[in-house]
Amino acid sequence: MMTFILFLVALAGLLFVMRRESGARPAIGVMVVVGFLSMIFASAWLALLLFVGAGVTAAAGLPALRQNWLTPRIFAMFKKVAPKVSDTEKVALEAGTVGWDGELFTGRPDWHNLLINRHTGLSDEEQAFVDNQCVQAISMCDAWDIAVERADLPKELWDYLKKEKFFGMIIPKEYGGLGFSAKAQTAVLQKIAANEMLMVSVGVPNSLGPGELLVKYGTDEQKKHYLPRLADGREIPCFGLTGPRAGSDATSLPDAGIVCKREIDGKEVVGIKLDFEKRWITLAPIATVVGLAFRMFDPDGLLGDTKDYGITCALIPRDTKGMEIGRRHCPIGSPFLNGPIVGKDVFIPLDYIIGGLEMAGQGWRMLVECLSVGRCITLPSGAAGSAAYSVGTAGGFTRIRRQFNTPVADMEGVQEPLARIAAKTYIAQSAVNHTANMIDKGEKPAVPSAILKYHLTEMQREILTDAMDVHGGKTVTLGPRNYLGIGYSGSAVSITVEGANIMTRSLMIFGQGAIRCHPYVLKELAAKDNDDINAFDDAFFGHAGLIFGNAARAFTQALKIGRADVPFDNASRAYAQAVARFSAAFGLCSDAAMTTLGSELKMRELISARLGDMLSNLYLASMVLKNWHETQPVEGEKEVMQYSLCLLLHRTEEALDVFLQNLPNRAVALVLRAVTLPLGRSWGNPHDDLARKLARLISTDTPVRHKLLASTWTTEGEGEVENPVARYNDLLKEYDKAEQLYRKATKAYAKGELPATALHPEERFEAALEAGIYTKEEAEFMREYEAVVLEMLTVDDFPFDEFARNKETVIDHNPA
């Protein structure tokens, strides 16, 4: 019995030391002390085992001993098996900064580093722009007219966007722009996201485009000429990156620029001859200046000894000879302005290179650095705004739509998708707002940008699918009254552009994060490249300590022993502790995958994707916790927060489980399962009770509904396009009164107090008035209320030949 007790003491002591990553000396001390106790009071065999363990730990863990025999051997082996990082990958790895994503890789996230920078909101100027100019712009959007009738924004809207400098949000005020913060850009795009075409038209020039590249890298002359003209809309920019053979793999672009001499106006000029073919270029059909990425070569050495400069970015005016521009693609669902650009024998001077000749060959670095910010903002913000709009419409419609004498929002089959819509909207808003705040604090979040781009656009697609489902026939019938169908069909665009989502999940999130965010891997690779054995020793054995620490933390916290100390309230503490626990499990699994698969991990995309899913869901959960911690919660918000975190933690654990099922080294997988899931899975899908609460919270006039809708378009005024969210909000304010009167008429009809032929609601209202069941005021209220309800339920119909572009092809199926 004493032997068993001492064994448990030794195990507990070692787990304690490992959890704290205290190093070899405390571990040796634990084993030696318990070993002596075992010799005196218990088993000599246990003592021998502990002394041997102490000796091995000393030989491998004490720097003075290991550096003479162990480190050189490991270093030599590491040089042989370490993956080679290409120059292109190095640029991507060095771009951006590491913040909270790095904390999640450590397995012991320091919440202080997340919470120290509070989201302070917008400036008065920024908030006024969101409340006024943005509302005015979105209220000028007739979705059917824009998407179907004209396939463009109306001229008065283009003029308004230019006048109010929507295209100059990121341009500093000194150059005539708005100089908005990242938080303000996010707020603007969420507000106008009710119309996909407007959001894209505004978002893209403020994301990856010539404006941002000029601000960061342009010469003084380029900035002075272009930035004021871009800010006030005199110039409309586009950026040509992707082409027929270079989509998500933008580094493989085949478009070449050859340095050569040409005679211009009687003078010999050194410039660049370009041949290129680009497609999927947003705003290309109307762009007046084209940002172009191409591969630059100098075969004749006109500029120096460099023959292949690499990817370079230049600015080319629309009227440049040899460039064909103006044709259009037809993006699915929402025909925003997008098209091809072709250049044949286009000659440009060297000063067209963004940043001048010294930036030749720096194009990939420039693009990656811009993407690390832009991808955090444009598409994720559009997704969050679209989600809020879906809350407004789906919640409102399901409350006023009655079937079987009850609102469909009270049916559990409808409540489940409504709850998902509410929770995913809450997650999306938390993620975009607080990541934008990080950007304003100086971070350039490369890995979070991939997380937000992938997961929020996927959530947008899921939310719109759920919203379409609960609307039924209302939104599968296209026409001016359909406020969701066009956006739903256009959601495929967001999951494709700026790096296809499949690639982003399987290659980028973990593939980039494993090296960029890991506390030690980048240091180990740098030590290998520099042949620095001392730096390698520090990094490698620090890495080893991290592995043991994560194993101890993952195991004990899974057993609910020694839960992490987190700075959150009672409502959210358990979720934060679960994030800490899974952070340790994620860190351990990451190291196991990198160790067992080595360079092969690059090709095992499904393994990488599941690790990326774990990291992503932990990051999103952290953003939800930060949002809950910093904002003043309204009544009912606790349930939304808990449903959201339960959903994210369920997805995290599911990704862990599937990773362990598929890790090729089965022995390691079994050990990992015993360490990370010793009691099996514990996070299921959110409980049905929560789903019922969330469904009611967004389908009635509640503080939660108003808080989720605060970022989207909710107003309606004279002369503006009808806003369905505003109409539903008005109906929900009167819903309690209407519901009582619906029930009164239904009960009277069931008792036979109303004529059996009174089948329509309007007929029952009149019959109820005649029978004295309704007062005159009640009858008038229900007439007006039901008229609006019927209008919101009505769908469009068209003449028989409406959809035939060529009317001569129409068949007369019923000739006289």
Side-chain angles (χ1 to χ4, degrees), residues 369-645:
E369 289 179 352
C370 287
L371 271 175
S372 70
V373 173
R375 289 208 310 170
C376 269
I377 295 176
T378 302
L379 292 176
S381 300
S386 173
Y389 188 71
S390 298
V391 167
T393 53
F397 176 85
T398 55
R399 182 54 57 185
I400 69 161
R401 173 66 165 166
R402 301 177 69 85
Q403 297 285 270
F404 310 106
N405 291 322
T406 189
V408 297
D410 290 339
M411 298 177 179
E412 290 191 351
V414 173
Q415 289 173 338
E416 186 176 30
L418 285 178
R420 291 195 297 259
I421 291 171
K424 291 173 185 176
T425 300
Y426 192 71
I427 293 166
Q429 291 176 341
S430 300
V432 295
N433 292 336
H434 291 284
T435 304
N437 184 62
M438 293 177 185
I439 294 171
D440 288 332
K441 301 299 183 182
E443 292 190 29
K444 297 177 181 178
V447 173
S449 76
I451 292 173
L452 264 61
K453 193 278 171 180
Y454 170 75
H455 284 276
L456 267 57
T457 56
E458 288 293 336
M459 284 186 184
Q460 177 184 18
R461 180 160 58 172
E462 295 163 0
I463 288 168
L464 287 168
T465 298
D466 279 336
M468 291 287 290
D469 283 354
V470 301
H471 275 85
K474 166 66 179 178
T475 52
V476 298
T477 308
L478 285 176
R481 290 183 174 90
N482 189 331
Y483 42 73
L484 279 183
I486 292 171
Y488 166 77
S489 57
S491 63
V493 173
S494 295
I495 60 94
T496 303
V497 299
E498 289 192 8
N501 275 11
I502 289 176
M503 181 206 71
T504 302
R505 174 176 179 254
S506 59
L507 291 177
M508 292 186 63
I509 296 174
F510 181 76
Q512 189 175 7
I515 298 177
R516 187 74 182 93
C517 300
H518 194 285
Y520 296 106
V521 170
L522 202 58
K523 295 177 182 178
E524 291 167 340
L525 292 174
K528 180 202 73 167
D529 292 340
N530 298 327
D531 199 27
D532 187 341
I533 192 169
N534 290 326
F536 177 79
D537 179 81
D538 289 341
F540 180 83
F541 286 96
H543 192 165
L546 178 68
I547 292 173
F548 283 112
N550 278 336
R553 284 187 290 268
F555 180 68
T556 55
Q557 291 177 24
L559 296 176
K560 305 186 184 335
I561 299 172
R563 292 181 178 180
D565 183 21
V566 296
F568 293 97
D569 62 13
N570 291 333
S572 59
R573 183 176 295 115
Y575 302 100
Q577 290 171 333
V579 169
R581 170 207 161 186
F582 284 122
S583 171
F586 164 71
L588 182 63
C589 291
S590 298
D591 283 316
M594 287 187 283
T595 301
T596 59
L597 291 171
S599 58
E600 186 188 348
L601 183 56
K602 275 187 180 181
M603 306 305 296
R604 302 303 295 264
E605 295 176 19
L606 293 176
I607 297 293
S608 178
R610 275 105 187 205
L611 290 168
D613 289 344
M614 289 182 67
L615 174 63
S616 299
N617 284 295
L618 292 174
Y619 181 86
L620 295 174
S622 302
M623 296 302 104
V624 172
L625 285 163
K626 188 174 190 290
N627 186 69
W628 171 260
H629 180 78
E630 290 186 5
T631 62
Q632 183 64 40
V634 299
E635 182 182 355
E637 186 177 348
K638 182 179 75 170
E639 285 77 11
V640 181
M641 176 270 293
Q642 291 175 334
Y643 188 106
S644 302
L645 289 171

Side-chain angles (χ1 to χ4, degrees), residues 608-810:
S608 178
R610 275 105 187 205
L611 290 168
D613 289 344
M614 289 182 67
L615 174 63
S616 299
N617 284 295
L618 292 174
Y619 181 86
L620 295 174
S622 302
M623 296 302 104
V624 172
L625 285 163
K626 188 174 190 290
N627 186 69
W628 171 260
H629 180 78
E630 290 186 5
T631 62
Q632 183 64 40
V634 299
E635 182 182 355
E637 186 177 348
K638 182 179 75 170
E639 285 77 11
V640 181
M641 176 270 293
Q642 291 175 334
Y643 188 106
S644 302
L645 289 171
C646 187
L647 177 67
L648 292 169
L649 291 168
H650 167 70
R651 290 184 170 190
T652 302
E653 192 171 55
E654 184 174 44
L656 170 60
D657 188 16
V658 178
F659 165 81
L660 294 174
Q661 291 174 26
N662 289 277
L663 186 66
N665 190 314
R666 298 313 301 152
V668 171
L670 289 173
V671 172
L672 288 174
R673 182 174 292 279
V675 171
T676 60
L677 296 172
L679 303 178
R681 291 177 57 170
S682 57
W683 287 93
N685 273 311
H687 198 279
D688 289 349
D689 288 343
L690 274 178
R692 285 189 283 268
K693 290 177 181 177
L694 264 62
R696 185 160 190 86
L697 285 169
I698 67 166
S699 65
T700 54
D701 187 36
T702 64
V704 164
R705 176 179 167 89
H706 289 292
K707 188 167 186 176
L708 290 174
L709 296 185
S711 62
T712 193
W713 177 40
T714 59
T715 56
E716 185 173 38
E718 186 177 353
E720 298 176 332
V721 173
E722 181 180 293
N723 181 359
V725 175
R727 301 292 297 277
Y728 283 129
N729 282 348
D730 289 342
L731 287 170
L732 294 186
K733 289 177 184 176
E734 303 287 351
Y735 168 73
D736 287 342
K737 179 179 178 181
E739 180 62 20
Q740 291 179 359
L741 295 174
Y742 278 128
R743 291 179 180 177
K744 186 184 289 189
T746 300
K747 186 176 180 180
Y749 183 82
K751 290 181 177 181
E753 297 173 358
L754 302 180
T757 56
L759 300 176
H760 285 284
E762 294 85 353
E763 293 172 338
R764 292 187 184 180
F765 302 156
E766 299 307 322
L769 176 62
E770 291 179 10
I773 295 169
Y774 277 0
T775 65
K776 183 177 180 181
E777 291 75 15
E778 289 173 335
E780 181 60 28
F781 169 80
M782 290 305 292
R783 290 189 197 105
E784 295 177 0
Y785 188 87
E786 190 65 23
V788 180
V789 168
L790 183 59
E791 172 60 27
M792 299 308 292
L793 300 180
T794 300
V795 298
D796 298 284
D797 53 68
F798 300 87
F800 181 78
D801 63 351
E802 175 73 17
F803 308 121
R805 295 180 65 182
N806 181 357
K807 304 300 182 186
E808 295 179 359
T809 64
V810 176

Side-chain angles (χ1 to χ4, degrees), residues 88 208 239-256 275-281 292-295 311 329 339-341 364 367 371 496-500 503:
T88 300
L208 175 61
F239 195 88
L241 176 60
T242 53
R245 292 183 172 84
S248 295
D249 181 14
T251 59
S252 67
L253 55 88
D255 307 300
D275 290 290
F276 56 88
E277 183 179 0
K278 303 293 187 181
R279 67 182 180 194
W280 302 312
I281 311 304
L292 190 78
F294 59 92
R295 185 85 171 268
I311 296 176
H329 300 310
I341 309 174
W364 181 237
L367 293 171
L371 271 175
T496 303
V497 299
E498 289 192 8
M503 181 206 71

